[in-house]
Amino acid sequence: MKPVAIAVVLALALGFVEPHGYLMEPLARTSIHLDPNLPYNPPYWYDNKGVWCNNVHQDLQYSQCGRCGEAAGNYDASQGGIYDKGALTGNYTSGSIIEVKAGLDNAHFGHFQMELCAQEQETDNCFSLLPVVSASQPLRGENLVCIPFDNPAPPNDIVTVRLQLPAGVRCSRCTLRWTYRTSYPNGAPDWDDCYTSAPAQTFRNCADISIN
Ligand SMILES: *[C@@H]1O[C@H](CO)[C@@H](O)[C@H](O)[C@H]1NC(C)=O
Ligand SMILES: [Cu+2]
């Protein structure tokens, strides 16, 4: 077997792979291998649907989650640059309403939100929430798209959301970030199928986009 195949088999056998979801459109950095037209740089990443902040259950501030889904404060360049900026997978117009898609697998409830870092130099604090105009699943407030199911089957395995880009904001290489906060584990007094305030399993992906 090739090394990649061995790694996949090992990961599956040891239970490391937890496919829950990813940012499908624009395609996340950590899923770039799914588009045959893009260079395999970063190379194939077997766990692209399980970029989950090192599986540290996150508080409401996501304080143990790194910028693009890696472990907080533990950016590891040796992982082949899977969290680094890469190919542009979305080109948009300033002030427009854009359509974004998330792909889900063994998702368990909760919600996701979308943020924009409208500058070339990505920092931990450059992200701001984008208002949701509409989505194929119920919304909560201005920013949360609920995932009201466990292990969604088609067509619920793809969630489409329309977002309002801010007027007058342009960038040649900026970052769109998807953060999916599951409602796992349950048990908190305020638990429901869209939200829990207790530390929860969280997935985060970044995509590289331009806004002209
Ligand atoms: C976005 O524009 C860049 C630069 O022109 C191009 O390389 C890239 O393929 C475009 N991406 C998409 C998804 O249209
Ligand atoms: Cu899980």
Side-chain angles (χ1 to χ4, degrees):
M1 280 194 286
K2 290 181 175 168
V4 167
I6 292 169
V8 170
V9 169
L10 268 180
L12 289 169
L14 297 175
F16 291 152
V17 176
E18 275 266 337
H20 288 62
Y22 72 111
L23 181 56
M24 185 178 232
E25 200 180 303
L27 194 59
R29 268 172 214 171
T30 37
S31 293
I32 220 87
H33 60 279
L34 298 180
D35 183 343
N37 296 317
L38 295 174
Y40 270 36
N41 181 24
Y44 179 69
W45 175 233
Y46 68 89
D47 202 9
N48 70 296
K49 295 177 181 175
V51 182
W52 62 359
C53 314
N54 210 29
N55 202 23
V56 175
H57 292 176
Q58 297 299 315
D59 58 21
L60 291 170
Q61 287 72 43
Y62 301 103
S63 52
Q64 294 300 305
C65 192
R67 213 141 67 209
C68 290
E70 70 276 22
N74 191 27
Y75 181 82
D76 183 0
S78 73
Q79 293 197 31
I82 56 166
Y83 302 108
D84 288 346
K85 286 196 165 216
L88 292 175
T89 54
N91 299 310
Y92 304 108
T93 304
S94 180
S96 66
I97 292 173
I98 67 169
E99 196 169 276
V100 164
K101 287 182 164 59
L104 301 170
D105 282 81
N106 306 321
H108 2 260
F109 305 110
H111 61 263
F112 68 78
Q113 63 189 27
M114 302 296 309
E115 293 163 291
L116 176 67
C117 169
Q119 57 193 51
E120 183 131 2
Q121 186 64 48
E122 211 171 76
T123 67
D124 287 343
N125 301 316
C126 68
F127 291 90
S128 43
L129 281 166
L130 287 174
V132 175
V133 177
S134 64
S136 61
Q137 294 297 335
L139 307 181
R140 190 162 297 190
E142 279 223 304
N143 304 111
L144 308 187
V145 181
C146 299
I147 308 294
F149 32 61
D150 218 356
N151 300 322
N156 291 330
D157 59 339
I158 297 177
V159 176
T160 303
V161 52
R162 293 168 71 239
L163 304 166
Q164 176 69 61
L165 291 183
V169 170
R170 293 179 167 78
C171 45
S172 57
R173 187 173 288 277
C174 45
T175 307
L176 187 67
R177 183 164 81 176
W178 173 80
T179 302
Y180 169 36
R181 179 180 179 83
T182 70
S183 282
Y184 174 85
N186 61 11
D190 66 347
W191 189 96
D192 69 32
D193 65 9
C194 185
Y195 182 89
T196 180
S197 66
Q201 189 178 34
T202 299
F203 297 79
R204 184 172 264 180
N205 286 182
C206 289
D208 297 293
I209 64 168
S210 73
I211 304 176
N212 295 302

